[in-house]
Amino acid sequence: MIDFAFFVDIIPTLLSGLPLTLQLAGSSIAIGFVLALLLALAQQGNHWILVWPIRSFVAVFRGTPLLVQIFLIYYGLGQFRPSLQAAGLWWLFREPYWCAIIALSLNTAAYGSEILRGAIQGVPRGLIEAASAFGMSRLLTLRLVVLPLALRQAIPSYSNEIILMIKGTSLASIITLTEVTGIAQGLISQTYRAVEVFVAAGAIYLTINFTIISALNALETWLTPYRREPDRRLCVINQEK
């Protein structure tokens, strides 16, 4: 039987790891989005010198588990400690927090770049030709026409990637970070009550994801008001009838 009193008591303890979870998610999503946008734009041309290394990077990070990537960055790069110290980078890779940020950012950048690349290629060619006919430069067309439309189209798919990345932060506990899942594992080792602890941790993640999904849906609705116009006209027609 589930002990509901114990369930309520552990919620504050689990919530103490929420700031770290949000830091990991927010930092990795922000960094990953910038990298994904740059990678997506770099693949729009026919320069194979740029395209093939990027596609190789995407294939590697999409084809391997996030858990393995975290292990390789945190534990694997330790074998190259002298080289990293000589390059002045050991301070970065010796900290589990920064290793988790790097792994999560690179992982979401690989997935996000494919989402954004497809969204950019989905912009109608006629709009680009129209912008060129008005005398707009390629950079101005990209900034005012292509990217706004592409980002709107990418919101539904990219929202799924954001949710996956928030859930992916739970893997940071394997490299000693005490976020929500890390604290949950500690509580289980102390109390041996896995059901209550994991249900409480899952409820916290569910609340975070539900809040983010609602915010992204509101953003999509705000950015695409034309999709609501037919519904409004239909309501007016029905009212007149």
Side-chain angles (χ1 to χ4, degrees), residues 15-228:
L15 287 176
S16 65
L18 185 58
L20 181 56
T21 296
L22 296 178
Q23 287 178 17
L24 291 172
S27 300
S28 60
I29 290 170
I31 297 172
F33 176 78
V34 174
L35 292 175
L37 183 58
L38 294 176
L39 294 176
L41 292 175
Q43 295 185 75
Q44 299 305 310
N46 296 321
H47 305 288
W48 62 270
I49 297 178
L50 287 176
V51 172
W52 284 108
I54 293 174
R55 290 183 179 177
S56 299
F57 162 80
V58 171
V60 169
F61 275 87
R62 292 180 66 193
T64 56
L66 177 57
L67 179 63
V68 173
Q69 296 164 17
I70 294 176
F71 274 141
L72 286 176
I73 292 175
Y74 182 64
Y75 295 109
L77 293 180
Q79 299 180 8
F80 306 97
R81 178 175 177 178
S83 300
L84 293 173
Q85 286 178 331
L89 296 175
W90 178 242
W91 65 270
L92 181 66
F93 291 101
R94 73 181 179 184
E95 298 292 336
Y97 176 81
W98 294 114
C99 289
I101 291 291
I102 292 171
L104 293 170
S105 298
L106 293 178
N107 183 272
T108 190
Y111 282 93
S113 65
E114 288 299 288
I115 295 173
L116 295 177
R117 182 176 67 88
I120 292 173
Q121 292 179 348
V123 174
R125 184 68 181 175
L127 293 178
I128 301 176
E129 294 175 351
S132 178
F134 274 104
M136 298 175 63
S137 64
R138 294 182 62 182
L139 182 60
L140 193 61
T141 301
L142 178 66
R143 184 169 64 89
L144 298 181
V145 178
V146 177
L147 286 183
L149 291 175
L151 293 178
R152 291 177 190 177
Q153 295 175 2
I155 288 177
S157 298
Y158 210 93
S159 61
N160 293 331
E161 175 58 25
I162 292 175
I163 297 304
L164 290 174
M165 189 49 49
I166 291 173
K167 293 188 291 185
T169 58
S170 62
L171 296 176
S173 60
I174 63 176
I175 54 175
T176 72
L177 290 179
T178 54
E179 39 75 61
V180 173
T181 303
I183 293 176
Q185 292 175 347
L187 287 173
I188 292 173
S189 64
Q190 295 172 8
T191 63
Y192 298 99
R193 303 188 70 95
V195 175
E196 291 91 339
V197 174
F198 276 133
V199 168
I204 293 174
Y205 283 107
L206 182 62
T207 302
I208 297 172
N209 290 333
F210 179 78
T211 303
I212 291 176
I213 289 173
S214 300
L216 291 173
N217 288 338
L219 177 62
E220 182 182 3
T221 302
W222 180 66
L223 291 176
T224 56
Y226 60 89
R227 295 183 179 178
R228 306 193 304 271

